[in-house]
Amino acid sequence: EESALGIVRVERQRNKLTSLGLGGCSIGPTGAAGIAEYVSGSGVLKTLNLDANELDLPKLRGTDPVESLDLSRKSLGPASAIVIASLIAGNAVLTTVDLTCNTICGIDVDGAGEYDASGIVALADALKVNGVLTSLELWDNKIGDEGAAALASALRVNEVLTDL
């Protein structure tokens, strides 16, 4: 994680990478937050891979506007969920995001892995400020009690989400 953050620190000043692959770097919540901050501010970076699949950053940011984004079955973990959350929070176009059958809480569909609520909590926080997203599909992500509580808290203030 520290080596990945070192790359991000250098790239903040350099700002030339269009693609960044950090899969296999065991990025935790703190590292993911640092990467999310960098990605949110970089208009140059187009793709990011923290798990097994690339994230299309312009579509998540809303700079390449799409109303719907299918990120299902991509083995996206908590770090990817934190980055996704940081970008959809300010996206004024995206209305539907499908994250079904991922590992955004660290546990796969078979129950293997270690629970980590940081990704689902970040997504819930994004829902608190996003006024456009009407559908967030999370089926088969093992969100757990902490994730469910975070989503319930978000629903108390989000007035547009109709499908969860």
Side-chain angles (χ1 to χ4, degrees):
E1 176 175 11
E2 192 53 42
S3 58
L5 286 175
I7 292 169
V8 168
R9 282 190 284 276
V10 169
E11 190 54 27
R12 271 194 186 118
Q13 297 170 5
R14 188 173 167 272
N15 204 29
K16 300 222 185 288
L17 287 180
T18 57
S19 180
L20 180 58
L22 297 173
C25 289
S26 300
I27 308 287
T30 303
I35 292 167
E37 182 182 331
Y38 159 65
V39 167
S40 295
S42 172
V44 176
L45 192 65
K46 304 292 184 223
T47 59
L48 174 67
N49 184 332
L50 297 177
D51 300 303
N53 287 281
E54 289 185 344
L55 296 176
D56 186 333
L57 300 177
K59 288 181 178 160
L60 286 165
R61 280 187 198 107
T63 55
D64 179 8
V66 294
E67 290 185 10
S68 180
L69 200 51
D70 184 358
L71 298 172
S72 65
R73 295 174 171 78
K74 300 215 180 282
S75 300
L76 301 174
S80 288
I82 290 169
V83 170
I84 291 166
S86 75
L87 296 173
I88 67 171
N91 187 321
V93 179
L94 194 60
T95 59
T96 302
V97 176
D98 185 351
L99 287 167
T100 58
C101 297
N102 279 295
T103 57
I104 62 173
C105 291
I107 300 175
D108 68 17
V109 294
D110 297 320
E114 187 174 324
Y115 184 76
D116 177 350
S118 60
I120 193 68
V121 169
L123 287 166
D125 288 345
L127 289 176
K128 291 178 181 178
V129 297
N130 180 293
V132 178
L133 196 68
T134 57
S135 176
L136 178 62
E137 298 293 331
L138 296 171
W139 180 76
D140 223 350
N141 268 289
K142 314 292 187 219
I143 62 170
D145 292 342
E146 189 176 348
L151 289 169
S153 175
L155 291 174
R156 287 187 185 92
V157 296
N158 181 300
E159 306 222 349
V160 296
L161 193 71
T162 58
D163 185 16
L164 180 63

